Amino acid sequence: MNTSDVLIIGAGVVGCAAAYYLRKNGVSVTVLESDMIGNGGSSRNGGGVRISGRDPRELGICAYGVKNIWPTLSEELGIDVEYRQKGYLVCGYDDSHKRLIKDRINTAAKFGIKMELKEEEEIRSLYPYVSEHVTCAGWTPSDGVANPLKTTLGYYIRARENGARFITGEKVLCIEKIKGRARKVITESGNVYEAESIILACGYGGRKILNSVGIEVLMQKKLEEVIVTEPAPRLFDHMIGGMSGFYGQQTEHGSFVLGSSCGRETYLFNKSNTVSTYSAPSFICDSIGVDIPALKKLKVIRTWSGWIDRSYDAVPIIGNIEEVPGLFVSIASSGHGFGPGPAVGFILSELAQGRPSPVDISKLHYDRFDYVKYQDRYFVSDVGGSFS
Ligand SMILES: Cc1cc2nc3c(=O)[nH]c(=O)nc-3n(C[C@H](O)[C@H](O)[C@H](O)COP(=O)(O)OP(=O)(O)OC[C@H]3O[C@@H](n4cnc5c(N)ncnc54)[C@H](O)[C@@H]3O)c2cc1C
């Protein structure tokens, strides 16, 4: 039977978490995934669980997750998701970075989050592995890391065990309304599914589906890459990043998992493969070697890549769609949706049950963009890719 209380489109961390929390409340759930479980960014990301440096509009959700979900998630799922809350060091190189870090400290303070500015002398003594190039840094003790694959699959395994129905290889083409309410979903293979509420959590793929109910949300799709080094003796436990755009962690196993918005990202439309390029990994290495010279000596043993769905303001779109009652979305997580993923899944599960979000999400509404103002960026964006 293809009818359930809630239908979820996309089995990433958000879709799997929403399915898990809905089943916990006895709600019947079907999850439709066009590919494999966790095929999107959810199993391909750097594992950063960060509150710092976030836009104020999404800070509430991130703080909710770090306070209420992450610390007990391994226990709740009975699967070690490798969550470690050991802080996040963001390296800066000049006075403009120092000013930016101070701004972030003020923003974080408004949400009760502690963040500190580290001056040069302190950096040299506390973090001896960063180079002289680093002259200031932001330190957020409540930030951390987790294992993306274990988190996403952990939610999937428990949701399925508790009765959620997952169907892979089932690509959703459109949503149909009945009496003005989102009700039916039609897939590429011609199957029809029905539900009282629909949660759309399928990244860039959500754009066309929203079009089918008359909603337009422009997004950019870019391929970002990650490198993994050979295992090395422990250098640090915390997450690290730089104003040059790199970020990463040393895993429990000893390998470094590092990524970077290094300017070599690929923007390929109408293409879905996630084959790594040759150029991005070497740019990632160059940028990280400047800040952490010891890493230059390590061999890169593998790379991977994943698509990022980015909105115009690089802030996610989360919440209900007033014009289409019964439809709830989480799309355009803009390359930083893993950390808040569990909280977003929980919030969507609450909305789909007719309950309010436990944190304010009103500023993440899909209708916040002034596309006329942004029209110069319709075809070429500030980071080189097109919005479509
Ligand atoms: C290289 C890289 C590094 C990153 N690093 C970090 C980080 O350190 N910290 C952080 O917080 N975030 C990071 N991110 C971002 C993070 O991975 C994503 O924001 C997050 O995983 C999004 O989760 P999601 O569940 O919304 O979507 P996704 O994981 O993208 O899942 C969406 C799912 O929907 C499916 N789908 C798509 N279209 C359809 C359709 N028509 N029908 C049915 N199913 C469909 C897809 O196959 C996919 O499985 C990174 C991303 C990348 C690529």
Side-chain angles (χ1 to χ4, degrees):
M1 205 172 68
N2 283 343
T3 305
S4 45
D5 294 333
V6 179
L7 197 77
I8 299 175
I9 306 171
V13 65
V14 172
C16 292
Y20 170 79
Y21 292 116
L22 285 164
R23 279 310 302 146
K24 234 181 135 177
N25 283 330
V27 177
S28 67
V29 187
T30 302
V31 184
L32 303 178
E33 164 57 51
S34 58
D35 209 285
M36 296 177 296
I37 307 298
N39 171 63
S42 294
S43 62
R44 301 167 185 271
N45 65 69
V49 180
R50 142 182 92 76
I51 307 181
S52 63
R54 297 264 177 186
D55 187 281
R57 289 169 287 177
E58 55 177 334
L59 261 167
I61 291 185
C62 299
Y64 184 87
V66 165
K67 235 184 188 165
N68 301 294
I69 300 181
W70 280 109
T72 51
L73 190 56
S74 293
E75 199 185 321
E76 164 133 19
L77 297 178
I79 290 169
D80 181 9
V81 299
E82 295 173 16
Y83 176 59
R84 286 183 281 139
Q85 199 175 24
K86 301 279 185 178
Y88 187 19
L89 187 76
V90 177
C91 304
Y93 323 116
D94 57 31
D95 283 348
S96 70
H97 294 152
K98 199 183 268 190
R99 281 195 295 278
L100 191 61
I101 292 167
K102 283 182 180 167
D103 280 352
R104 288 181 179 180
I105 291 172
N106 291 335
T107 309
K110 288 185 194 144
F111 289 81
I113 298 151
K114 196 177 156 214
M115 189 179 167
E116 299 159 23
L117 172 72
K118 300 288 183 194
E119 300 279 3
E120 213 167 340
E121 211 173 295
E122 216 178 346
I123 293 170
R124 301 281 91 82
S125 68
L126 290 175
Y127 317 105
Y129 37 83
V130 302
S131 74
E132 305 252 315
H133 177 64
V134 178
T135 55
C136 58
W139 172 250
T140 313
S142 55
D143 283 353
V145 292
N147 183 317
L149 206 59
K150 286 187 166 183
T151 306
T152 304
L153 294 183
Y155 273 121
Y156 158 70
I157 289 165
R158 293 301 172 240
R160 206 178 147 178
E161 250 174 34
N162 292 341
R165 184 181 177 208
F166 283 81
I167 305 173
T168 53
E170 189 73 308
K171 183 175 178 181
V172 172
L173 293 183
C174 60
I175 295 173
E176 272 185 18
K177 293 193 244 181
I178 295 182
K179 292 186 182 162
R181 198 179 159 85
R183 176 83 205 189
K184 270 190 187 176
V185 156
I186 296 155
T187 67
E188 199 171 52
S189 47
N191 293 325
V192 180
Y193 298 83
E194 281 197 43
E196 290 296 321
S197 305
I198 298 172
I199 293 177
L200 187 79
C202 59
Y204 190 82
R207 189 185 162 231
K208 269 195 179 161
I209 299 172
L210 283 174
N211 281 173
S212 69
V213 282
I215 303 295
E216 179 66 291
V217 176
L218 299 190
M219 282 190 262
Q220 187 187 53
K221 185 182 178 190
K222 70 170 177 165
L223 193 72
E224 207 163 292
E225 304 190 36
V226 167
I227 60 166
V228 183
T229 71
E230 61 184 325
R234 185 138 296 275
L235 200 59
F236 47 78
D237 282 330
H238 56 81
M239 178 96 183
I240 193 160
M243 292 291 177
S244 59
F246 85 88
Y247 57 88
Q249 56 160 311
Q250 186 173 18
T251 62
E252 293 192 358
H253 167 68
S255 291
F256 288 87
V257 174
L258 303 155
S260 176
S261 303
C262 60
R264 280 291 183 274
E265 293 82 34
T266 315
Y267 299 85
L268 292 173
F269 293 90
N270 308 318
K271 244 192 153 181
S272 58
N273 74 44
T274 46
V275 177
S276 295
T277 63
Y278 289 106
S279 64
S282 47
F283 271 80
I284 295 174
C285 294
D286 283 352
S287 122
I288 290 159
V290 173
D291 286 25
I292 318 172
L295 300 194
K296 281 192 205 167
K297 295 184 198 128
L298 296 178
K299 290 192 183 72
V300 172
I301 54 169
R302 95 193 149 88
T303 64
W304 74 69
S305 58
W307 291 109
I308 282 173
D309 48 325
R310 185 181 184 270
S311 71
Y312 267 124
D313 56 8
V315 172
I317 294 166
I318 298 169
N320 63 324
I321 306 262
E322 281 84 1
E323 295 89 331
V324 192
L327 179 60
F328 307 93
V329 301
S330 163
I331 50 171
S333 53
S334 303
H336 46 259
F338 170 65
V344 174
F346 175 72
I347 289 167
L348 290 179
S349 77
E350 290 292 285
L351 296 180
Q353 292 172 84
R355 293 201 283 255
S357 165
V359 289
D360 180 17
I361 54 166
S362 58
K363 296 201 172 76
L364 302 173
H365 197 255
Y366 91 93
D367 210 8
R368 66 179 183 266
F369 303 99
D370 179 350
Y371 288 131
V372 174
K373 183 176 139 200
Y374 287 121
Q375 62 181 323
D376 55 324
R377 297 168 71 189
Y378 256 70
F379 299 109
V380 181
S381 84
D382 58 341
V383 284
S386 307
F387 279 93
S388 70

